[in-house]
């Protein structure tokens, strides 16, 4: 099983004195796309006013232009430790033991805007870039990323993908049809036997789910296997057997 997670706008600062190495990131075929975005972001940072406009930064966020200027030399952290916010606070990767973190390394990709999907423990620097931002000199994000990411996922050929990304990041790298996959919607019971989709708690539940998977480390190779594990774990996962979307009822 391979899990695809969205990133978070909020991030931990600092890190270890190990600079970004694009060649070491997961899905190495994305190297050209990563290098193009990295170069465009650094060049954009030469003009603070233009960078603030393109990146949609408010007056109190303008110091993030300088963050992007240092992308090649800044300290790095494992991606799962770099991101903060609701989902990653619930996952709490830094507190996991070594076997659980090794499981994250081999089973989780986090879909960043500047680097595409990276391994959960791939070292990345702090940065500022949203999924929908078009950088000067580059195609629109979906045109830049979608086909290369889909091809990279197809080459990786995981037995099954659990896609927990937001729609914005799915657009930057749809799962190819050759790979069995399912997305997961977080819902709660509603009157009349229906369910209601959640917003804020959606991210929290996804973080808790990935943390539980990392701690239990099941061997899941299919949608059916995921549903069986969820049932054994006391989780309410429902949906048609051939559906591309399942509901996790919380």
């Amino acid at each position: 099983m391979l899990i695809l997670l969205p990133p978070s706008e909020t991030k931990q600062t600092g890190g270890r004195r190990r600079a970004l190495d694009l060649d070491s990131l997961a899905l190495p075929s994305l190297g050209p796309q990563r290098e193009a975005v990295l170069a465009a972001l650094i060049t954009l940072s030469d003009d603070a006013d233009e960078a603030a406009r393109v990146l949609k930064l408010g007056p109190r966020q303008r110091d993030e232009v300088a963050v992007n200027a240092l992308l090649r030399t800044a300290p790095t952290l494992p991606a799962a430790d770099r991101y903060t916010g609701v989902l990653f606070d619930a996952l709490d990767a830094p507190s996991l033991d070594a076997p659980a973190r090794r499981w994250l390394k081999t089973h989780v990709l986090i879909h960043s805007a500047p680097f595409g999907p990276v391994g959960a423990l791939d070292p990345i620097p702090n940065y500022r870039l949203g999924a929908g931002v078009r950088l000067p000199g580059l195609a629109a994000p979906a045109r830049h990323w979608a086909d290369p990411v889909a091809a990279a996922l197809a080459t990786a050929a995981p037995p099954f993908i659990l896609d927990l990304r937001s729609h914005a990041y799915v657009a930057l790298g749809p799962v190819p049809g050759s790979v069995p996959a399912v997305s997961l919607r977080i819902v709660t019971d509603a009157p009349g036997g229906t369910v209601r989709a959640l917003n804020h708690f959606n991210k929290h539940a996804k973080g808790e789910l990935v943390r539980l998977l990392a701690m239990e480390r099941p061997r899941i190779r299919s949608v059916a296997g995921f549903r069986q594990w969820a049932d054994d774990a006391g989780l309410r996962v429902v949906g048609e057997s051939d559906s591309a979307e399942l509901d996790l009822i919380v």
Side-chain angles (χ1 to χ4, degrees):
M1 177 173 69
L2 180 65
I3 299 172
L4 300 180
L5 287 179
S8 173
E9 182 177 311
T10 58
K11 303 171 191 71
Q12 181 70 35
T13 60
R16 307 186 185 101
R17 288 293 172 185
R18 175 184 175 185
L20 175 67
D21 178 6
L22 292 181
D23 293 336
S24 72
L25 302 181
L27 306 182
S29 65
L30 297 177
Q33 288 73 33
R34 289 165 170 159
E35 176 58 38
V37 173
L38 190 67
L41 265 178
I42 293 172
T43 299
L44 178 63
S45 301
D46 290 338
D47 185 334
D49 291 336
E50 178 65 3
R53 184 191 67 80
V54 171
L55 299 174
K56 303 178 176 63
L57 301 179
R60 296 183 179 179
Q61 299 172 307
R62 287 176 67 92
D63 58 343
E64 297 192 43
V65 173
V67 169
N68 283 346
L70 300 174
L71 282 171
R72 293 194 189 277
T73 58
T76 58
L77 282 173
D81 301 340
R82 171 68 68 192
Y83 295 107
T84 60
V86 177
L87 189 157
F88 290 94
D89 288 349
L91 170 58
D92 195 11
S95 73
L96 291 170
D97 62 19
R101 286 179 67 85
R102 286 195 295 269
W103 190 93
L104 288 181
K105 180 178 181 178
T106 57
H107 292 84
V108 176
L109 295 177
I110 303 172
H111 198 150
S112 74
F115 311 119
V118 298
L121 299 190
D122 284 354
I124 62 171
N126 191 14
Y127 67 86
R128 177 63 184 231
L129 183 67
V133 173
R134 180 171 184 173
L135 296 171
L138 296 185
R143 289 186 60 192
H144 182 82
W145 285 110
D147 289 345
V149 170
L153 291 174
T155 300
F160 157 62
I161 286 180
L162 179 64
D163 196 344
L164 303 182
R165 296 174 297 172
S166 59
H167 293 302
Y169 283 92
V170 170
L172 299 187
V175 177
S178 60
V179 179
V182 66
S183 61
L184 192 67
R185 189 174 66 143
I186 310 300
V187 300
T188 189
D189 290 315
T194 61
V195 295
R196 174 175 57 85
L198 296 174
N199 187 6
H200 175 84
F201 197 72
N202 164 62
K203 296 178 180 179
H204 189 272
K206 288 178 178 178
E208 286 189 325
L209 172 66
V210 177
R211 182 177 178 86
L212 181 60
L213 283 162
M215 291 191 298
E216 294 199 352
R217 301 183 289 283
R219 295 184 178 180
I220 299 174
R221 301 188 60 82
S222 66
V223 177
F226 171 70
R227 295 184 67 163
Q228 182 61 59
W229 170 82
D231 185 62
D232 293 343
L235 303 176
R236 297 172 63 195
V237 173
V238 300
E240 299 297 327
S241 59
D242 59 349
S243 174
E245 183 176 79
L246 296 176
D247 286 345
L248 172 60
I249 304 176
V250 296

